[in-house]
Amino acid sequence: MLLKGRLLTSKLFTSPASLRCTATVSNPKTAILMLNMGGPQHTDQVPEFLLRIMTDRDMIQLPVQSRLGPWIAQRRTPEVQKKYKEIGGGSPILKWTELQGELMCKDLDRISPETAPHKHYVGFRYVNPLTEDTLKQIEKEAPERVVLFSQYPQYSCATSGSSFNSIFYHYRQHSLPKNIKFSVIDRWSTHPLLIKTFAERIREELNKFCETKRKDVVILFTAHSLPLKAVNRGDPYPSEVGASVHLVMQELGKSNPYILAWQSKVGPLPWLAPSTDDTIKGYVKQGRKNFILVPIAFVNEHIETLHELDIEYCDELAKEVGVEEIRRAAAPNDHPLFIKALSSIVAEHLKDEKPLNPKFLMRCPMCVNSRCMESKNWYRHICA
Ligand code: FES
């Protein structure tokens, strides 16, 4: 039995030369705000990070949230800090996002000179650099245009939706800068270059299996799970993840058996299933013992790939249940195809007359969140 996961990947965020970003323009014509939840860079940021997650009603809805949220955050802090310590002391997501943004803008200056100079900014939801602080910085640098670019390829109201709602909240309390044009890229789960990136990441690992078993390796796509309550409200995330999976397998010529499973469930309520760990266990029982795990909804390495997939599943679980060989496809990170995907998505968006996707203005059919209604009305107005 043995895993050849991506444990090495955890070393990538320490201080690779490739991650050193160069200074960029201070007065860009086009600003691209890269939105994500973020991750603590040091373990002492974990309490604040968890507190922000647990008190965000777009991300999670708890009874008496203002009291229960902080209590859960405090309780979970030691366990989460331990996990970050085990992957080297913090999340690499900021460093990857900075690098992706830097490379994306270089390419954008080349392929879209009419909107240059471009500059990327990072806006995290739960940890520095917080979106609201970055918006203030952007305003000072006074670009002509700001593209709000969700870094989640597949849209969920809990992730992308929460980031977009937080921008609406910020401007409810601060006046909207005149002379800046805002537009939105909310989802890109089927972009051909994203699909090619994932296919390449899978081929990299598939080629490491010996030829005799290569075609039987199970490609196990894994994405963060979602409570069934959110799914039943009509959250588009599961279908958008499914669309990515389908296209990646088409790109690979349906070369292997595959399955989509869901990871990182928390709490006792029902979430999307099957879980990634149960899927590994179930297939091993059925005699399928070779796997590639593919984090299809993560564009950077972070705790869910470096700890949950690499340590908990590819190492501990694989040994426990008798897996023969298990590998993990790297997240897109700085793969050249992925950087090209990012710059193409933005360039296509900048050329397009539409400042946002009409789907973005549509609420889930069973949405009961008044913040979504106010936020969508605001975007309809500011992106008109
Ligand atoms: Fe999806 Fe409100 S929960 S739009």
Side-chain angles (χ1 to χ4, degrees):
M1 158 348 265
L2 232 287
L3 103 105
K4 298 288 178 231
R6 196 122 285 279
L7 289 170
L8 283 179
T9 324
S10 60
K11 294 188 181 134
L12 285 176
F13 74 93
T14 49
S15 61
S18 64
L19 289 183
R20 274 180 228 126
C21 295
T22 50
T24 52
V25 279
S26 57
N27 290 101
K29 184 169 178 183
T30 306
I32 297 121
L33 177 55
M34 301 169 83
L35 301 166
N36 201 310
M37 67 185 293
Q41 287 194 79
H42 309 287
T43 50
D44 55 9
Q45 290 176 336
V46 169
E48 192 71 25
F49 173 71
L50 291 179
L51 179 68
R52 288 197 174 107
I53 292 179
M54 290 299 167
T55 51
D56 175 12
R57 284 192 69 75
D58 294 322
M59 166 61 86
I60 190 163
Q61 296 86 41
L62 300 167
V64 282
Q65 190 143 3
S66 58
R67 286 213 301 273
L68 191 54
W71 182 78
I72 295 175
Q74 199 181 24
R75 234 178 120 231
R76 291 205 58 210
T77 290
E79 165 203 342
V80 175
Q81 281 176 321
K82 183 170 173 278
K83 289 186 179 178
Y84 278 106
K85 274 186 198 137
E86 286 169 3
I87 63 160
S91 167
I93 189 168
L94 178 59
K95 288 175 183 175
W96 281 121
T97 311
E98 291 282 14
L99 178 65
Q100 290 160 345
E102 196 74 32
L103 296 173
M104 169 185 73
C105 286
K106 257 186 212 157
D107 197 44
L108 273 170
D109 287 348
R110 189 182 61 80
I111 62 176
S112 181
E114 61 282 10
T115 51
H118 304 86
K119 181 174 177 180
H120 82 279
Y121 299 80
V122 178
F124 285 158
R125 183 72 183 93
Y126 306 119
V127 71
N128 287 333
L130 289 170
T131 306
E132 40 278 35
D133 296 334
T134 305
L135 285 168
K136 288 180 196 154
Q137 186 199 341
I138 294 176
E139 284 174 34
K140 277 193 204 136
E141 297 185 5
E144 286 177 18
R145 182 164 182 179
V146 179
V147 178
L148 307 173
F149 186 9
S150 172
Q151 293 303 293
Y152 306 98
Q154 300 91 4
Y155 189 98
S156 168
C157 299
T159 54
S160 307
S162 174
S163 277
F164 287 117
N165 284 356
S166 76
I167 294 171
F168 154 66
Y169 275 119
H170 172 76
Y171 282 121
R172 206 160 70 163
Q173 287 149 15
H174 301 85
S175 51
L176 189 68
K178 308 210 172 25
N179 308 329
I180 297 184
K181 191 176 154 195
F182 285 86
S183 63
V184 169
I185 301 176
D186 62 332
R187 69 198 78 203
W188 36 288
S189 62
T190 57
H191 193 278
L193 290 171
L194 174 74
I195 299 305
K196 281 186 194 300
T197 307
F198 279 119
E200 270 306 301
R201 288 302 200 202
I202 294 168
R203 282 192 198 104
E204 286 166 10
E205 297 308 315
L206 211 44
N207 288 337
K208 293 174 189 163
F209 281 87
C210 74
E211 253 177 83
T212 50
K213 58 183 177 187
R214 193 174 297 153
K215 67 175 183 10
D216 296 321
V217 172
V218 176
I219 301 178
L220 200 173
F221 293 93
T222 173
H224 202 294
S225 191
L226 195 65
L228 284 189
K229 228 170 150 182
V231 176
N232 294 340
R233 274 198 301 262
D235 194 292
Y237 174 76
S239 62
E240 294 188 12
V241 174
S244 303
V245 168
H246 176 79
L247 290 176
V248 172
M249 287 315 299
Q250 203 166 52
E251 178 70 26
L252 289 170
K254 303 219 163 69
S255 60
N256 285 70
Y258 67 97
I259 179 82
L260 169 59
W262 307 91
Q263 66 180 93
S264 321
K265 172 187 186 294
V266 283
L269 295 174
W271 286 46
L272 274 171
S275 68
T276 304
D277 50 340
D278 282 347
T279 301
I280 295 170
K281 288 180 204 163
Y283 280 136
V284 169
K285 270 193 202 143
Q286 291 178 22
R288 294 187 181 271
K289 298 190 172 185
N290 294 286
F291 301 89
I292 296 179
L293 303 190
V294 184
I296 188 72
F298 299 126
V299 299
N300 300 299
E301 303 302 342
H302 56 290
I303 191 88
E304 284 87 352
T305 57
L306 299 174
H307 198 284
E308 187 173 356
L309 296 185
D310 290 349
I311 298 176
E312 294 169 42
Y313 300 162
C314 288
D315 188 14
E316 297 166 357
L317 180 67
K319 282 180 192 148
E320 181 192 318
V321 301
V323 161
E324 251 174 53
E325 192 169 338
I326 184 165
R327 298 181 174 274
R328 201 262 293 171
N333 299 333
D334 62 347
H335 193 294
L337 275 173
F338 182 63
I339 301 302
K340 194 73 206 151
L342 294 175
S343 58
S344 304
I345 289 162
V346 176
E348 286 156 17
H349 173 78
L350 290 169
K351 281 198 184 75
D352 199 346
E353 295 296 296
K354 292 193 212 99
L356 45 71
N357 170 3
K359 167 76 177 161
F360 174 67
L361 296 178
M362 207 179 174
R363 293 166 68 199
C364 296
M366 306 304 166
C367 173
V368 289
N369 183 348
S370 61
R371 294 180 304 281
C372 300
M373 185 174 69
E374 293 173 74
S375 167
K376 302 239 180 225
N377 285 340
W378 180 79
Y379 279 101
R380 182 178 285 116
H381 173 69
I382 65 141
C383 294

